[in-house]
């Protein structure tokens, strides 16, 4: 499960946290499911354990996981997290549509599929 993109300007810990957030939000990880240990995931991703720990700390701070001392980290499913993410996405879309309108691009034009080159 190597999902790191070294061309991505975001730090590695953010990429790890983002991937786990997406897996949790779409239901690929179930409530109370254990996450890989910090050491195991660090080895799997060929990264520093401190980087994985930082990602897990961020996930816990945002409410996506919880930790049990001596046992590890576990998925915390909270339906409000999905609703919060939906609100954030709607706000971003609203901003994008507003910016497009300001420069003369309609919503329908913005949503049109791009034509392939040469056609």
């Amino acid at each position: 499960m190597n999902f790191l993109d070294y061309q991505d300007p975001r730090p590695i810990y953010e990429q790890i946290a983002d991937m786990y957030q997406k897996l949790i939000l779409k239901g690929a990880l179930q409530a109370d499911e254990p996450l890989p240990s910090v050491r195991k995931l660090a080895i799997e991703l060929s990264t520093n354990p401190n980087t994985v720990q930082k990602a897990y700390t961020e996930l816990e701070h945002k409410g996506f996981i919880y930790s049990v001392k001596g046992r590890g980290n576990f998925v915390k499913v909270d339906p409000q997290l999905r609703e919060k993410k939906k609100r954030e996405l709607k706000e971003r879309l609203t901003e994008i549509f507003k910016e497009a309108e300001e420069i003369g691009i309609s919503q329908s034009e913005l949503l049109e599929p791009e034509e392939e080159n040469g056609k």
Side-chain angles (χ1 to χ4, degrees):
M1 170 175 66
N2 196 346
F3 43 77
L4 299 180
D5 178 3
Y6 294 102
Q7 303 301 324
D8 191 326
R10 297 177 302 155
I12 300 298
Y13 81 91
E14 282 184 15
Q15 292 182 49
I16 295 168
D18 186 52
M19 181 54 65
Y20 274 106
Q21 284 180 41
K22 288 176 182 173
L23 290 170
I24 292 168
L25 288 171
K26 73 179 181 179
L29 297 175
Q30 301 301 312
D32 303 318
E33 185 174 334
L35 296 180
S37 71
V38 169
R39 181 175 291 149
K40 181 179 180 186
L41 187 59
I43 290 169
E44 193 173 316
L45 297 176
S46 299
T47 190
N48 189 305
N50 292 334
T51 301
V52 174
Q53 183 58 53
K54 190 170 183 178
Y56 280 4
T57 300
E58 182 175 312
L59 287 166
E60 187 171 11
H61 178 72
K62 290 182 176 181
F64 284 93
I65 66 172
Y66 65 94
S67 64
V68 177
K69 193 157 183 85
R71 305 254 356 242
N73 296 288
F74 299 86
V75 175
K76 178 181 178 184
V77 174
D78 180 356
Q80 292 179 355
L81 290 173
R82 188 174 174 85
E83 288 303 312
K84 180 181 175 188
K85 185 65 174 178
K86 188 166 41 171
R87 280 194 308 275
E88 288 173 7
L89 291 171
K90 284 182 177 183
E91 287 173 11
R92 285 178 28 207
L93 279 173
T94 300
E95 290 172 15
I96 290 169
F97 287 145
K98 183 178 177 184
E99 183 179 348
E101 184 180 314
E102 288 172 354
I103 61 172
I105 300 172
S106 68
Q107 286 185 17
S108 59
E109 184 181 355
L110 192 63
L111 295 173
E112 287 175 359
E114 289 290 318
E115 292 184 24
E116 292 183 31
N117 292 336
K119 288 189 178 182

